[in-house]
Amino acid sequence: MSCDQLVINLLSRTTHGYTCDVQSYSILTEDDHAITKLVGRHRRGKSNEDVIAFLSNGKIVNYFPRNIKKYFNNVQKILISAANISTLTKQDLQPFGSQLKYFLFADNKLEEVPKDLFDYTPNIEHVQLQTNLIKFVEDGAFSKLQQMKSLYFQVNPCHS
């Protein structure tokens, strides 16, 4: 893959480590939701292997971007906000497995948290789901997260 096809804008943040702040990315089909192109830049001396946090703020894609690990194998933190995404499944998070420690999914259109969402990511310590449209959280949705230290859930019209 050439630098033109994959140039990542990465910021050094104390709280998140070496973060991928993607300027833009494309998802071509509704069927697989796979990222087909990323645009940004690396800091001098850094590469995709140094990225431990994927940050996407305000990139409207409508679907959770699959195959992030194809680009960033060492991702421990996912931070996706204002992407107009209404559904999340355990298959979206599965590639990160026990490596995922931090999950922020804020200012989206998520309406439900299914009970199996975190089945494959038991080591998440921090979950942020604030400012969504969450009306329903299935029983046991967070029960597999034995390492969880914080859950942010503000500004959701949750009914049950």
Side-chain angles (χ1 to χ4, degrees):
M1 183 168 295
S2 74
C3 290
D4 293 352
Q5 293 171 309
L6 179 61
V7 186
I8 307 303
N9 178 24
L10 297 159
L11 305 174
S12 180
R13 295 179 187 228
T14 341
T15 55
H16 299 301
Y18 191 56
T19 304
C20 170
D21 185 8
V22 177
Q23 293 172 350
S24 70
Y25 58 93
S26 302
I27 296 176
L28 286 185
T29 69
E30 289 183 26
D31 297 333
D32 64 11
H33 310 171
I35 294 174
T36 56
K37 182 179 178 181
L38 293 172
V39 177
R41 280 188 199 93
H42 275 296
R43 288 182 55 196
R44 177 172 280 158
K46 297 289 186 180
S47 71
N48 287 0
E49 289 302 309
D50 296 306
V51 175
I52 64 164
F54 178 86
L55 170 66
S56 176
N57 183 16
K59 282 83 174 165
I60 305 296
V61 291
N62 300 317
Y63 305 99
F64 186 88
R66 292 203 177 148
N67 79 341
I68 292 170
K69 283 196 58 107
K70 174 182 171 185
Y71 299 98
F72 311 114
N73 193 46
N74 297 314
V75 167
Q76 299 172 15
K77 302 171 184 182
I78 300 290
L79 303 96
I80 298 176
S81 60
N84 202 42
I85 301 172
S86 60
T87 58
L88 272 176
T89 67
K90 67 180 181 179
Q91 289 79 16
D92 293 329
L93 301 180
Q94 181 179 10
F96 307 102
S98 59
Q99 185 176 329
L100 193 62
K101 306 284 187 226
Y102 189 104
F103 184 68
L104 178 141
F105 192 78
D107 197 24
N108 280 293
K109 295 185 176 184
L110 187 64
E111 293 186 19
E112 180 178 323
V113 180
K115 70 178 178 181
D116 64 353
L117 180 62
F118 300 107
D119 277 2
Y120 301 117
T121 55
N123 293 331
I124 293 179
E125 297 174 1
H126 305 280
V127 176
Q128 293 187 246
L129 298 173
Q130 68 269 19
T131 319
N132 273 284
L133 301 173
I134 298 172
K135 297 174 187 160
F136 182 73
V137 178
E138 287 191 44
D139 286 340
F142 303 102
S143 64
K144 293 214 166 82
L145 300 179
Q146 299 300 310
Q147 307 297 318
M148 188 162 64
K149 297 175 183 173
S150 66
L151 170 62
Y152 294 95
F153 208 81
Q154 305 91 314
V155 194
N156 277 293
C158 196
H159 301 294
S160 67

mmCIF file with all atom_site columns, all heavy atoms in Angstrom, residues 1-9 37-42 48:
data_model
loop_
_atom_site.group_PDB
_atom_site.id
_atom_site.type_symbol
_atom_site.label_atom_id
_atom_site.label_alt_id
_atom_site.label_comp_id
_atom_site.label_asym_id
_atom_site.label_entity_id
_atom_site.label_seq_id
_atom_site.pdbx_PDB_ins_code
_atom_site.Cartn_x
_atom_site.Cartn_y
_atom_site.Cartn_z
_atom_site.occupancy
_atom_site.B_iso_or_equiv
_atom_site.pdbx_formal_charge
_atom_site.auth_seq_id
_atom_site.auth_comp_id
_atom_site.auth_asym_id
_atom_site.auth_atom_id
_atom_site.pdbx_PDB_model_num
ATOM 1   N N   . MET A 1 1  ? 0.846   -1.172 0.000  1.00 0.00 ? 1  MET A N   1
ATOM 2   C CA  . MET A 1 1  ? 0.000   0.000  0.000  1.00 0.00 ? 1  MET A CA  1
ATOM 3   C C   . MET A 1 1  ? 0.895   1.239  0.000  1.00 0.00 ? 1  MET A C   1
ATOM 4   O O   . MET A 1 1  ? 1.830   1.342  0.770  1.00 0.00 ? 1  MET A O   1
ATOM 5   C CB  . MET A 1 1  ? -0.878  -0.039 1.251  1.00 0.00 ? 1  MET A CB  1
ATOM 6   C CG  . MET A 1 1  ? -1.835  1.103  1.304  1.00 0.00 ? 1  MET A CG  1
ATOM 7   S SD  . MET A 1 1  ? -3.089  0.887  2.569  1.00 0.00 ? 1  MET A SD  1
ATOM 8   C CE  . MET A 1 1  ? -3.941  -0.528 1.950  1.00 0.00 ? 1  MET A CE  1
ATOM 9   N N   . SER A 1 2  ? 0.592   2.196  -0.854 1.00 0.00 ? 2  SER A N   1
ATOM 10  C CA  . SER A 1 2  ? 1.421   3.397  -0.967 1.00 0.00 ? 2  SER A CA  1
ATOM 11  C C   . SER A 1 2  ? 1.057   4.416  0.105  1.00 0.00 ? 2  SER A C   1
ATOM 12  O O   . SER A 1 2  ? -0.003  4.354  0.715  1.00 0.00 ? 2  SER A O   1
ATOM 13  C CB  . SER A 1 2  ? 1.228   4.032  -2.342 1.00 0.00 ? 2  SER A CB  1
ATOM 14  O OG  . SER A 1 2  ? -0.025  4.677  -2.408 1.00 0.00 ? 2  SER A OG  1
ATOM 15  N N   . CYS A 1 3  ? 1.964   5.383  0.303  1.00 0.00 ? 3  CYS A N   1
ATOM 16  C CA  . CYS A 1 3  ? 1.707   6.457  1.278  1.00 0.00 ? 3  CYS A CA  1
ATOM 17  C C   . CYS A 1 3  ? 0.484   7.256  0.884  1.00 0.00 ? 3  CYS A C   1
ATOM 18  O O   . CYS A 1 3  ? -0.217  7.788  1.742  1.00 0.00 ? 3  CYS A O   1
ATOM 19  C CB  . CYS A 1 3  ? 2.920   7.373  1.385  1.00 0.00 ? 3  CYS A CB  1
ATOM 20  S SG  . CYS A 1 3  ? 4.303   6.579  2.173  1.00 0.00 ? 3  CYS A SG  1
ATOM 21  N N   . ASP A 1 4  ? 0.210   7.381  -0.411 1.00 0.00 ? 4  ASP A N   1
ATOM 22  C CA  . ASP A 1 4  ? -0.962  8.123  -0.860 1.00 0.00 ? 4  ASP A CA  1
ATOM 23  C C   . ASP A 1 4  ? -2.242  7.436  -0.418 1.00 0.00 ? 4  ASP A C   1
ATOM 24  O O   . ASP A 1 4  ? -3.237  8.092  -0.133 1.00 0.00 ? 4  ASP A O   1
ATOM 25  C CB  . ASP A 1 4  ? -0.983  8.247  -2.379 1.00 0.00 ? 4  ASP A CB  1
ATOM 26  C CG  . ASP A 1 4  ? 0.153   9.106  -2.892 1.00 0.00 ? 4  ASP A CG  1
ATOM 27  O OD1 . ASP A 1 4  ? 0.857   9.717  -2.063 1.00 0.00 ? 4  ASP A OD1 1
ATOM 28  O OD2 . ASP A 1 4  ? 0.341   9.159  -4.106 1.00 0.00 ? 4  ASP A OD2 1
ATOM 29  N N   . GLN A 1 5  ? -2.221  6.104  -0.395 1.00 0.00 ? 5  GLN A N   1
ATOM 30  C CA  . GLN A 1 5  ? -3.416  5.362  -0.030 1.00 0.00 ? 5  GLN A CA  1
ATOM 31  C C   . GLN A 1 5  ? -3.632  5.337  1.477  1.00 0.00 ? 5  GLN A C   1
ATOM 32  O O   . GLN A 1 5  ? -4.761  5.291  1.939  1.00 0.00 ? 5  GLN A O   1
ATOM 33  C CB  . GLN A 1 5  ? -3.323  3.922  -0.534 1.00 0.00 ? 5  GLN A CB  1
ATOM 34  C CG  . GLN A 1 5  ? -3.350  3.831  -2.045 1.00 0.00 ? 5  GLN A CG  1
ATOM 35  C CD  . GLN A 1 5  ? -3.041  2.425  -2.486 1.00 0.00 ? 5  GLN A CD  1
ATOM 36  O OE1 . GLN A 1 5  ? -2.059  1.842  -2.057 1.00 0.00 ? 5  GLN A OE1 1
ATOM 37  N NE2 . GLN A 1 5  ? -3.881  1.893  -3.352 1.00 0.00 ? 5  GLN A NE2 1
ATOM 38  N N   . LEU A 1 6  ? -2.553  5.332  2.232  1.00 0.00 ? 6  LEU A N   1
ATOM 39  C CA  . LEU A 1 6  ? -2.692  5.223  3.673  1.00 0.00 ? 6  LEU A CA  1
ATOM 40  C C   . LEU A 1 6  ? -1.705  6.133  4.366  1.00 0.00 ? 6  LEU A C   1
ATOM 41  O O   . LEU A 1 6  ? -0.576  5.790  4.601  1.00 0.00 ? 6  LEU A O   1
ATOM 42  C CB  . LEU A 1 6  ? -2.462  3.776  4.122  1.00 0.00 ? 6  LEU A CB  1
ATOM 43  C CG  . LEU A 1 6  ? -2.544  3.520  5.618  1.00 0.00 ? 6  LEU A CG  1
ATOM 44  C CD1 . LEU A 1 6  ? -3.922  3.865  6.139  1.00 0.00 ? 6  LEU A CD1 1
ATOM 45  C CD2 . LEU A 1 6  ? -2.235  2.074  5.913  1.00 0.00 ? 6  LEU A CD2 1
ATOM 46  N N   . VAL A 1 7  ? -2.168  7.352  4.630  1.00 0.00 ? 7  VAL A N   1
ATOM 47  C CA  . VAL A 1 7  ? -1.349  8.308  5.375  1.00 0.00 ? 7  VAL A CA  1
ATOM 48  C C   . VAL A 1 7  ? -2.193  8.697  6.575  1.00 0.00 ? 7  VAL A C   1
ATOM 49  O O   . VAL A 1 7  ? -3.305  9.154  6.424  1.00 0.00 ? 7  VAL A O   1
ATOM 50  C CB  . VAL A 1 7  ? -1.046  9.554  4.517  1.00 0.00 ? 7  VAL A CB  1
ATOM 51  C CG1 . VAL A 1 7  ? -0.083  10.473 5.227  1.00 0.00 ? 7  VAL A CG1 1
ATOM 52  C CG2 . VAL A 1 7  ? -0.496  9.152  3.173  1.00 0.00 ? 7  VAL A CG2 1
ATOM 53  N N   . ILE A 1 8  ? -1.664  8.498  7.761  1.00 0.00 ? 8  ILE A N   1
ATOM 54  C CA  . ILE A 1 8  ? -2.460  8.674  8.963  1.00 0.00 ? 8  ILE A CA  1
ATOM 55  C C   . ILE A 1 8  ? -1.996  9.885  9.762  1.00 0.00 ? 8  ILE A C   1
ATOM 56  O O   . ILE A 1 8  ? -0.821  10.088 9.959  1.00 0.00 ? 8  ILE A O   1
ATOM 57  C CB  . ILE A 1 8  ? -2.339  7.412  9.843  1.00 0.00 ? 8  ILE A CB  1
ATOM 58  C CG1 . ILE A 1 8  ? -2.684  6.169  9.024  1.00 0.00 ? 8  ILE A CG1 1
ATOM 59  C CG2 . ILE A 1 8  ? -3.219  7.502  11.057 1.00 0.00 ? 8  ILE A CG2 1
ATOM 60  C CD1 . ILE A 1 8  ? -4.045  6.193  8.407  1.00 0.00 ? 8  ILE A CD1 1
ATOM 61  N N   . ASN A 1 9  ? -2.942  10.677 10.217 1.00 0.00 ? 9  ASN A N   1
ATOM 62  C CA  . ASN A 1 9  ? -2.637  11.807 11.087 1.00 0.00 ? 9  ASN A CA  1
ATOM 63  C C   . ASN A 1 9  ? -2.684  11.288 12.520 1.00 0.00 ? 9  ASN A C   1
ATOM 64  O O   . ASN A 1 9  ? -3.735  10.976 13.020 1.00 0.00 ? 9  ASN A O   1
ATOM 65  C CB  . ASN A 1 9  ? -3.672  12.917 10.892 1.00 0.00 ? 9  ASN A CB  1
ATOM 66  C CG  . ASN A 1 9  ? -3.432  14.083 11.802 1.00 0.00 ? 9  ASN A CG  1
ATOM 67  O OD1 . ASN A 1 9  ? -2.313  14.284 12.252 1.00 0.00 ? 9  ASN A OD1 1
ATOM 68  N ND2 . ASN A 1 9  ? -4.472  14.844 12.072 1.00 0.00 ? 9  ASN A ND2 1
ATOM 69  N N   . LYS A 1 37 ? -10.195 3.024  2.621  1.00 0.00 ? 37 LYS A N   1
ATOM 70  C CA  . LYS A 1 37 ? -9.174  4.047  2.451  1.00 0.00 ? 37 LYS A CA  1
ATOM 71  C C   . LYS A 1 37 ? -9.111  4.913  3.702  1.00 0.00 ? 37 LYS A C   1
ATOM 72  O O   . LYS A 1 37 ? -10.143 5.284  4.248  1.00 0.00 ? 37 LYS A O   1
ATOM 73  C CB  . LYS A 1 37 ? -9.502  4.923  1.237  1.00 0.00 ? 37 LYS A CB  1
ATOM 74  C CG  . LYS A 1 37 ? -8.461  5.978  0.956  1.00 0.00 ? 37 LYS A CG  1
ATOM 75  C CD  . LYS A 1 37 ? -8.833  6.794  -0.271 1.00 0.00 ? 37 LYS A CD  1
ATOM 76  C CE  . LYS A 1 37 ? -7.798  7.870  -0.513 1.00 0.00 ? 37 LYS A CE  1
ATOM 77  N NZ  . LYS A 1 37 ? -8.118  8.693  -1.650 1.00 0.00 ? 37 LYS A NZ  1
ATOM 78  N N   . LEU A 1 38 ? -7.889  5.216  4.149  1.00 0.00 ? 38 LEU A N   1
ATOM 79  C CA  . LEU A 1 38 ? -7.663  6.123  5.277  1.00 0.00 ? 38 LEU A CA  1
ATOM 80  C C   . LEU A 1 38 ? -6.775  7.258  4.809  1.00 0.00 ? 38 LEU A C   1
ATOM 81  O O   . LEU A 1 38 ? -5.874  7.046  4.002  1.00 0.00 ? 38 LEU A O   1
ATOM 82  C CB  . LEU A 1 38 ? -6.946  5.400  6.419  1.00 0.00 ? 38 LEU A CB  1
ATOM 83  C CG  . LEU A 1 38 ? -7.691  4.299  7.147  1.00 0.00 ? 38 LEU A CG  1
ATOM 84  C CD1 . LEU A 1 38 ? -6.757  3.581  8.112  1.00 0.00 ? 38 LEU A CD1 1
ATOM 85  C CD2 . LEU A 1 38 ? -8.866  4.858  7.896  1.00 0.00 ? 38 LEU A CD2 1
ATOM 86  N N   . VAL A 1 39 ? -7.012  8.462  5.334  1.00 0.00 ? 39 VAL A N   1
ATOM 87  C CA  . VAL A 1 39 ? -6.193  9.610  4.955  1.00 0.00 ? 39 VAL A CA  1
ATOM 88  C C   . VAL A 1 39 ? -5.752  10.356 6.216  1.00 0.00 ? 39 VAL A C   1
ATOM 89  O O   . VAL A 1 39 ? -6.560  10.601 7.100  1.00 0.00 ? 39 VAL A O   1
ATOM 90  C CB  . VAL A 1 39 ? -6.972  10.573 4.031  1.00 0.00 ? 39 VAL A CB  1
ATOM 91  C CG1 . VAL A 1 39 ? -6.138  11.791 3.690  1.00 0.00 ? 39 VAL A CG1 1
ATOM 92  C CG2 . VAL A 1 39 ? -7.396  9.855  2.755  1.00 0.00 ? 39 VAL A CG2 1
ATOM 93  N N   . GLY A 1 40 ? -4.476  10.700 6.286  1.00 0.00 ? 40 GLY A N   1
ATOM 94  C CA  . GLY A 1 40 ? -3.917  11.433 7.408  1.00 0.00 ? 40 GLY A CA  1
ATOM 95  C C   . GLY A 1 40 ? -2.387  11.438 7.318  1.00 0.00 ? 40 GLY A C   1
ATOM 96  O O   . GLY A 1 40 ? -1.840  11.294 6.231  1.00 0.00 ? 40 GLY A O   1
ATOM 97  N N   . ARG A 1 41 ? -1.677  11.608 8.440  1.00 0.00 ? 41 ARG A N   1
ATOM 98  C CA  . ARG A 1 41 ? -0.201  11.619 8.466  1.00 0.00 ? 41 ARG A CA  1
ATOM 99  C C   . ARG A 1 41 ? 0.335   11.024 9.750  1.00 0.00 ? 41 ARG A C   1
ATOM 100 O O   . ARG A 1 41 ? -0.266  11.164 10.794 1.00 0.00 ? 41 ARG A O   1
ATOM 101 C CB  . ARG A 1 41 ? 0.327   13.042 8.388  1.00 0.00 ? 41 ARG A CB  1
ATOM 102 C CG  . ARG A 1 41 ? 0.338   13.580 7.028  1.00 0.00 ? 41 ARG A CG  1
ATOM 103 C CD  . ARG A 1 41 ? 1.055   14.931 6.973  1.00 0.00 ? 41 ARG A CD  1
ATOM 104 N NE  . ARG A 1 41 ? 0.628   15.551 5.758  1.00 0.00 ? 41 ARG A NE  1
ATOM 105 C CZ  . ARG A 1 41 ? -0.392  16.389 5.661  1.00 0.00 ? 41 ARG A CZ  1
ATOM 106 N NH1 . ARG A 1 41 ? -1.023  16.790 6.728  1.00 0.00 ? 41 ARG A NH1 1
ATOM 107 N NH2 . ARG A 1 41 ? -0.755  16.870 4.509  1.00 0.00 ? 41 ARG A NH2 1
ATOM 108 N N   . HIS A 1 42 ? 1.526   10.420 9.665  1.00 0.00 ? 42 HIS A N   1
ATOM 109 C CA  . HIS A 1 42 ? 2.234   9.944  10.853 1.00 0.00 ? 42 HIS A CA  1
ATOM 110 C C   . HIS A 1 42 ? 3.170   11.028 11.354 1.00 0.00 ? 42 HIS A C   1
ATOM 111 O O   . HIS A 1 42 ? 3.700   11.804 10.565 1.00 0.00 ? 42 HIS A O   1
ATOM 112 C CB  . HIS A 1 42 ? 3.110   8.723  10.518 1.00 0.00 ? 42 HIS A CB  1
ATOM 113 C CG  . HIS A 1 42 ? 2.386   7.426  10.549 1.00 0.00 ? 42 HIS A CG  1
ATOM 114 N ND1 . HIS A 1 42 ? 1.837   6.901  11.695 1.00 0.00 ? 42 HIS A ND1 1
ATOM 115 C CD2 . HIS A 1 42 ? 2.130   6.532  9.560  1.00 0.00 ? 42 HIS A CD2 1
ATOM 116 C CE1 . HIS A 1 42 ? 1.285   5.748  11.420 1.00 0.00 ? 42 HIS A CE1 1
ATOM 117 N NE2 . HIS A 1 42 ? 1.437   5.500  10.134 1.00 0.00 ? 42 HIS A NE2 1
ATOM 118 N N   . ASN A 1 48 ? 2.166   2.651  11.686 1.00 0.00 ? 48 ASN A N   1
ATOM 119 C CA  . ASN A 1 48 ? 0.899   2.029  12.085 1.00 0.00 ? 48 ASN A CA  1
ATOM 120 C C   . ASN A 1 48 ? 1.074   1.127  13.303 1.00 0.00 ? 48 ASN A C   1
ATOM 121 O O   . ASN A 1 48 ? 0.156   0.979  14.104 1.00 0.00 ? 48 ASN A O   1
ATOM 122 C CB  . ASN A 1 48 ? 0.327   1.215  10.927 1.00 0.00 ? 48 ASN A CB  1
ATOM 123 C CG  . ASN A 1 48 ? -0.218  2.092  9.839  1.00 0.00 ? 48 ASN A CG  1
ATOM 124 O OD1 . ASN A 1 48 ? -0.176  3.313  9.925  1.00 0.00 ? 48 ASN A OD1 1
ATOM 125 N ND2 . ASN A 1 48 ? -0.715  1.482  8.782  1.00 0.00 ? 48 ASN A ND2 1
#
